[in-house]
Amino acid sequence: MDTYFDRNEIVDVIMREVLENGGKRRILLSSFDADCCILLRRKQNKYPVLFLSQGVTVRWEEMMDVRCRTVPMAMNFALAEGLLGVDIHAEDILRNPSFAEEIAKFKLVCFVWGEDINDPANMSLLKSMEVDGIIYDRMCDHREPGLYQFETEEQMGPFLASISQHTHH
């Protein structure tokens, strides 16, 4: 049982750190672990919780928990548990754009993640679908402010400049 961990204890540690150090930051909590999402939602009401879904993909092995294997399963789970929404893999929504409308129909927030977003054409397509948030690499290459802009450009300027220096060789 060396690999056993108590989700309740882990969520307590995470929430203690976030509550003590989060300050005035706008924070969204998310996890691929459905049970952790339930605990995050039940133990506090300050920060919204999104359920991360791997969805249907050939890139990785299928996750054991069926709640994160497909967008409809993730969406139903988020609805049942009163979560803010889902964070789905770009591969799924690019293959089936109707997911964006379906998620919105149920008044859930839809974030999208994955390496497919690094392609500017895919990012443009996702923006046209009016998803609520896009999580991507190389933020310094995409300076357009969005709905969930966490910091002002003035605050992020030195940080983005330092990243740009390290990533553009």
Side-chain angles (χ1 to χ4, degrees):
M1 294 299 272
D2 289 341
T3 59
Y4 173 79
F5 65 94
D6 183 341
R7 285 179 180 87
N8 196 40
E9 287 180 27
I10 289 174
V11 168
D12 285 348
V13 169
I14 291 168
M15 288 314 309
R16 182 172 46 251
E17 291 298 318
V18 170
L19 291 168
E20 288 176 7
N21 300 301
K24 293 183 180 183
R25 292 183 188 104
R26 295 168 61 186
I27 297 173
L28 293 168
L29 302 170
S30 62
S31 177
F32 285 106
D33 187 306
D35 295 326
C36 282
C37 285
I38 292 169
L39 290 169
L40 288 165
R41 174 71 177 94
R42 301 270 191 281
K43 288 178 172 269
Q44 56 84 42
N45 62 6
K46 184 174 182 178
Y47 301 110
V49 179
L50 296 174
F51 181 47
L52 276 159
S53 171
Q54 177 179 313
V56 177
T57 182
V58 296
R59 293 182 176 151
W60 306 290
E61 285 187 39
E62 194 170 61
M63 295 187 113
M64 296 297 291
D65 190 333
V66 296
R67 294 172 286 188
C68 64
R69 285 188 188 170
T70 68
V71 171
M73 288 293 290
M75 186 178 63
N76 287 329
F77 171 74
L79 280 168
E81 294 300 331
L83 304 181
L84 177 67
V86 292
D87 191 348
I88 62 176
H89 192 259
E91 185 180 354
D92 261 345
I93 197 165
L94 291 169
R95 184 176 44 248
N96 187 349
S98 68
F99 283 147
E101 291 174 17
E102 191 174 342
I103 291 166
K105 179 175 74 176
F106 288 102
K107 307 222 182 311
L108 290 171
V109 166
C110 178
F111 275 41
V112 181
W113 66 276
E115 56 277 356
D116 292 327
I117 297 169
N118 293 328
D119 177 338
N122 287 340
M123 184 177 287
S124 293
L125 182 58
L126 289 166
K127 286 179 181 179
S128 75
M129 292 180 203
E130 298 182 2
V131 297
D132 299 295
I134 300 173
I135 300 171
Y136 53 90
D137 299 331
R138 301 182 65 100
M139 290 179 62
C140 56
D141 292 344
H142 307 278
R143 308 263 315 229
E144 181 181 326
L147 177 63
Y148 291 98
Q149 184 175 353
F150 290 98
E151 309 289 342
T152 66
E153 188 168 328
E154 183 179 294
Q155 292 169 314
M156 292 297 289
F159 174 71
L160 291 174
S162 70
I163 290 175
S164 183
Q165 289 172 352
H166 294 294
T167 58
H168 292 90
H169 298 263

